[in-house]
Amino acid sequence: MLTSAVAGFSISIALIVAIGAQNAFVLRQGLRREHVVPVVLTCAASDALLIMAGVAGVGSLVTGRPGLLTAIRWGGAAFLLCYAALAARRALRPGALLPTDRPPATLGATLLACAAFTYLNPHVYLDTVLLLGGVAQQHPHRWVFGAGAVLASVVWFTALGVGAQRLAPLLARAGAWRVLDAVIAVVMAGLAMALLLG
């Protein structure tokens, strides 16, 4: 059982650590110290739901509906391109770079954006439902494997959200936020293009 849990944790953490739309969003929220706990909980709970769906075997149903994956891919690409444009605009406008320059977003708007970054990203389904779910089917204790994968998600998002606050002094200058937003814009645009071309 321990082997399955460790395997689930290891594979999940390897997949989730790669920079992506969801991680960039959590990082930005952590740096702004804005609704960090609800965002971390939403990301971890969403991953848990999708991982357990994969462990339960939902992946075989999803692969049988290519039209659904295509719709998610195009919707996700459009969302990422819009967010890339907003990040690029923030990078070009020094007055909007510091975390205190604009009023905090409402909790509802923040959680809606968090859900969009999670559920409009086709890679999240590929990683959790299909890949982790498929690997879990090969383990004698697939639910333990799934629990290990969920634990990796909880650990990662907690570390990212809380750890980002420690970077706040470093990013207290407008120039640092300009660089961060420029990097986020490039990453989001790159992910969107990968979705459109893939």
Side-chain angles (χ1 to χ4, degrees):
M1 286 181 66
L2 182 61
T3 303
S4 293
V6 170
F9 186 94
S10 302
I11 295 172
S12 180
I13 203 77
L15 291 171
I16 203 171
V17 165
I19 187 165
Q22 191 182 46
N23 284 343
F25 180 75
V26 174
L27 178 63
R28 184 166 181 84
Q29 291 303 118
L31 289 169
R32 289 179 54 82
R33 298 177 183 174
E34 187 177 290
H35 309 303
V36 178
V37 172
V39 165
V40 167
L41 289 174
T42 299
C43 290
S46 297
D47 268 13
L49 175 69
L50 293 169
I51 289 168
M52 289 305 163
V55 172
V58 174
S60 59
L61 298 175
V62 176
T63 54
R65 298 178 183 248
L68 176 63
L69 285 177
T70 300
I72 293 171
R73 186 182 74 185
W74 283 92
F79 177 77
L80 291 173
L81 283 173
C82 289
Y83 194 80
L86 290 173
R89 188 177 75 176
R90 284 193 307 265
L92 294 172
R93 292 181 54 206
L97 294 173
L98 295 175
T100 55
D101 280 346
R102 65 179 173 85
T106 64
L107 177 60
T110 300
L111 293 183
L112 187 62
C114 185
F117 279 118
T118 301
Y119 294 106
L120 290 180
N121 181 2
H123 290 292
V124 100
Y125 298 100
L126 295 174
D127 289 348
T128 57
V129 178
L130 300 177
L131 183 58
L132 286 173
V135 174
Q137 304 307 318
Q138 301 170 17
H139 279 266
H141 305 287
R142 63 182 175 144
W143 293 105
V144 176
F145 176 94
V150 169
L151 178 61
S153 177
V154 171
V155 168
W156 171 252
F157 285 120
T158 302
L160 189 60
V162 174
Q165 293 180 16
R166 294 180 179 255
L167 295 175
L170 176 67
L171 294 170
R173 298 184 313 272
W177 276 89
R178 181 186 297 251
V179 170
L180 177 65
D181 278 322
V183 169
I184 288 173
V186 169
V187 168
M188 298 300 172
L191 289 170
M193 294 310 297
L195 288 177
L196 291 174
L197 299 174

